[in-house]
Amino acid sequence: MKRTNIRELAVGCDAVALCAFIGEPSDLRKIDYFQSFNAHWNKGFRRSVISINYKSPQLRKELQSSVEELFKNHFPSPYFIHNKKNWPSICRSLCNMEENLLQKCKELGYELVCKTMDHVSILPEISNIVVEEGADFYYTNGLGIGGCETRNFDEEKLLHDFFFPQTNFYFLNVAKVDYLYNMTEVIERGRAWEKNPSIQPNGYYITCEHELANMVSRNNLHSCDLLTPDEWKRIVEKVIFYNLGDPSFKNLSTAGILHWGSVGAHDNKLLVPKVERLV
């Protein structure tokens, strides 16, 4: 089995593809901050595809040119998808934005792409990741204490029989897949949620990680974990020890992949929490 460094994997991608949400003008400043970490990473790609949702049509009209300038400063040769509608349901909006991104990459004839988010930063230690060549899907698992509880803290299941791929950062051969989200199902479940939001109070009536895992299984993709078994074991131990609830590891670096959360603006200054490292 041939092995390659993750930076070489990135260089071989057809594009870096990402989603972004603009809810207010100050979001541009936040995104600029998050992406300021990524100059060393983004320069390895030849082109980019960016799918953007806006909180309202008016905001889209006001900020579209500024948004494009912002991303041009951070990403190579961007192709922009300015989605025309944002739904009150964060889940439907996210699914629509990500599905449009996937289908556009397929339409452009791309194969391997690196999928990320506007609020993901890549730290230098990502260079330590070495993976096998030729996989269709490279990922990291997500895990919260709830996932441990549903598996009765069974070490065998958590360490060796666990597939809950995070949606905020992965590599995917888009030419080998059909779709990520069945939007008909998303819309139907969204309508049910609108009638009775109590069925899922946080608004996520679609579990994005499950849908990503289903796509991988449905299309018989060859998958490769970006983390070593030892690194994953250490993460499982920390999730249990610290009783971590969020499976997406917000503000916790995972081998150089940092998914930001709980960052806000106050008095024109970013409140940036301390970054801790899981592995």
Side-chain angles (χ1 to χ4, degrees):
M1 179 193 307
K2 289 187 177 180
R3 309 280 288 177
T4 188
N5 184 272
I6 193 170
R7 288 191 180 274
E8 292 301 316
L9 184 69
V11 168
C13 285
D14 287 312
V16 57
L18 67 148
C19 293
F21 175 73
I22 308 298
E24 55 185 74
S26 64
D27 286 342
L28 275 67
R29 184 165 51 86
K30 296 178 189 178
I31 294 171
D32 188 52
Y33 177 81
F34 300 148
Q35 294 303 321
S36 69
F37 290 89
N38 293 343
H40 70 100
W41 178 253
N42 292 342
K43 69 181 181 182
F45 298 95
R46 291 169 286 171
R47 57 183 75 91
S48 56
V49 183
I50 305 172
S51 181
I52 307 162
N53 268 28
Y54 299 83
K55 189 174 183 179
S56 68
Q58 182 62 30
L59 196 66
R60 178 177 183 266
K61 182 179 179 180
E62 292 174 358
L63 296 181
Q64 181 171 321
S65 60
S66 297
V67 167
E68 290 194 358
E69 285 304 312
L70 169 65
F71 283 107
K72 285 177 182 177
N73 288 336
H74 293 288
F75 290 91
S77 304
Y79 181 104
F80 291 104
I81 306 169
H82 293 284
N83 297 298
K84 294 184 178 180
K85 185 169 182 178
N86 187 70
W87 285 267
S89 160
I90 186 174
C91 189
R92 180 173 176 180
S93 293
L94 178 60
C95 293
N96 182 73
M97 181 166 51
E98 292 202 333
E99 187 62 29
N100 286 347
L101 181 67
L102 171 64
Q103 296 303 329
K104 177 55 66 174
C105 287
K106 287 170 59 67
E107 179 185 315
L108 291 170
Y110 296 162
E111 294 184 359
L112 190 65
V113 302
C114 174
K115 192 270 181 180
T116 184
M117 301 288 283
D118 59 348
H119 54 287
V120 168
S121 294
I122 304 301
L123 306 182
E125 55 260 41
I126 198 170
S127 297
N128 296 325
I129 296 178
V130 177
V131 296
E132 65 176 274
E133 291 185 358
D136 305 312
F137 180 60
Y138 297 85
Y139 67 97
T140 59
N141 274 315
L143 177 67
I145 195 65
C148 298
E149 291 171 347
T150 58
R151 293 166 179 81
N152 297 313
F153 296 91
D154 187 314
E155 185 174 290
E156 181 65 26
K157 290 181 178 179
L158 290 171
L159 296 181
H160 307 295
D161 187 24
F162 186 85
F163 189 53
F164 193 69
Q166 297 204 51
T167 61
N168 51 70
F169 183 87
Y170 55 82
F171 292 83
L172 173 69
N173 188 330
V174 298
K176 292 188 176 183
V177 304
D178 44 9
Y179 61 88
L180 175 53
Y181 300 107
N182 181 329
M183 291 307 299
T184 299
E185 179 183 350
V186 171
I187 292 169
E188 289 176 352
R189 293 175 68 174
R191 287 171 178 164
W193 175 81
E194 288 171 358
K195 293 178 181 178
N196 182 18
S198 64
I199 62 177
Q200 191 54 264
N202 68 4
Y204 284 94
Y205 46 81
I206 298 289
T207 302
C208 298
E209 293 88 349
H210 284 161
E211 297 306 311
L212 182 57
N214 290 340
M215 181 199 70
V216 172
S217 175
R218 183 177 65 248
N219 291 280
N220 298 310
L221 301 186
H222 175 47
S223 302
C224 175
D225 196 333
L226 293 174
L227 303 180
T228 66
D230 179 64
E231 287 172 330
W232 178 242
K233 184 175 187 294
R234 285 153 53 197
I235 287 178
V236 172
E237 290 171 348
K238 288 184 177 181
V239 167
I240 294 173
F241 182 81
Y242 291 107
N243 198 38
L244 297 178
D246 185 356
S248 68
F249 306 144
K250 290 185 179 69
N251 297 334
L252 297 172
S253 172
T254 306
I257 304 164
L258 175 56
H259 178 205
W260 288 96
S262 302
V263 178
H266 178 68
D267 293 335
N268 296 319
K269 294 181 180 179
L270 280 173
L271 300 179
V272 182
K274 181 181 178 182
V275 175
E276 301 288 353
R277 286 168 169 77
L278 280 179
V279 292

